[in-house]
Amino acid sequence: MTDDEIIEACRKIARERQAPPPAPPEAISEAERVIGFVFPELLRRLYTEVSNGGFGPVDGVLPVDVGQWHEHIAEAYEHGPDPTGGVPAGVVPLYDWGCTMWSMIDFRDPDGAMWSNAEGDCWPQGVTLAQWLVAAMNGELRFAWPDGVPPESEWHRPTPSADHQES
């Protein structure tokens, strides 16, 4: 899909979800000031032409308005980049999967390379924002674990069905 086709598809989804109106350019400028990097062009267009959050998978991406929302795209940068270096400067939370798992976008990359963050680790997903959104629209988007495999922990293991349980 082209960027224009993605914009139009996201616009339809935003209308169906009754997402907020587009963000004003001043909100984008303020978020860029806080983050220290400019928005990748497709993300900028989505926020200013489609909706201030709410587009993308399930309940939508974070809004951009700094100071207006409980959670927003620049929130993680209000006190500067991650001092531990665990999240590279310019990699910004975009979508909350729950359970401290995030899809993040790399503002250093004009195409908006997507990253994953979970359990304190951060890694590239190997897709751009455009590819990530198309996967979401096609119902194919899943959280991108390293090597496609979630860590071995109780809450990530599938529950065995009754007929496969050991006796």
Side-chain angles (χ1 to χ4, degrees), residues 44-114:
R44 173 188 298 277
R45 288 189 62 199
L46 287 163
Y47 278 119
T48 60
E49 297 176 30
V50 175
S51 176
N52 185 11
F55 56 86
V58 190
D59 51 348
V61 303
L62 293 175
V64 71
D65 282 326
V66 176
Q68 258 190 323
W69 301 88
H70 174 63
E71 270 189 325
H72 54 81
I73 196 167
E75 183 176 20
Y77 280 80
E78 287 181 335
H79 303 287
D82 179 4
T84 69
V87 176
V91 175
V92 179
L94 184 66
Y95 180 74
D96 184 356
W97 290 87
C99 297
T100 69
M101 300 183 322
W102 286 85
S103 281
M104 304 176 85
I105 184 165
D106 191 343
F107 276 41
R108 303 166 302 178
D109 181 338
D111 292 327
M114 297 299 294

Side-chain angles (χ1 to χ4, degrees), residues 2-167:
T2 67
D3 284 0
D4 288 338
E5 291 169 328
I6 290 170
I7 297 280
E8 194 50 45
C10 286
R11 188 175 283 128
K12 181 180 181 229
I13 292 166
R15 274 194 305 268
E16 290 169 359
R17 292 182 183 166
Q18 298 179 349
E26 304 80 41
I28 300 289
S29 296
E30 176 61 12
E32 288 175 338
R33 184 193 66 72
V34 170
I35 295 166
F37 292 87
V38 298
F39 277 58
E41 188 58 29
L42 177 58
L43 187 61
R44 173 188 298 277
R45 288 189 62 199
L46 287 163
Y47 278 119
T48 60
E49 297 176 30
V50 175
S51 176
N52 185 11
F55 56 86
V58 190
D59 51 348
V61 303
L62 293 175
V64 71
D65 282 326
V66 176
Q68 258 190 323
W69 301 88
H70 174 63
E71 270 189 325
H72 54 81
I73 196 167
E75 183 176 20
Y77 280 80
E78 287 181 335
H79 303 287
D82 179 4
T84 69
V87 176
V91 175
V92 179
L94 184 66
Y95 180 74
D96 184 356
W97 290 87
C99 297
T100 69
M101 300 183 322
W102 286 85
S103 281
M104 304 176 85
I105 184 165
D106 191 343
F107 276 41
R108 303 166 302 178
D109 181 338
D111 292 327
M114 297 299 294
W115 287 60
S116 293
N117 185 306
E119 300 180 0
D121 293 323
C122 193
W123 59 92
Q125 290 183 12
V127 298
T128 65
L129 173 62
Q131 294 165 326
W132 187 83
L133 287 167
V134 169
M137 288 183 254
N138 291 337
E140 299 166 353
L141 186 66
R142 303 291 180 268
F143 185 77
W145 291 102
D147 303 318
V149 181
E152 284 296 317
S153 65
E154 289 302 317
W155 63 277
H156 290 295
R157 275 194 211 133
T159 305
S161 61
D163 57 343
H164 289 97
Q165 291 182 356
E166 296 178 345
S167 44

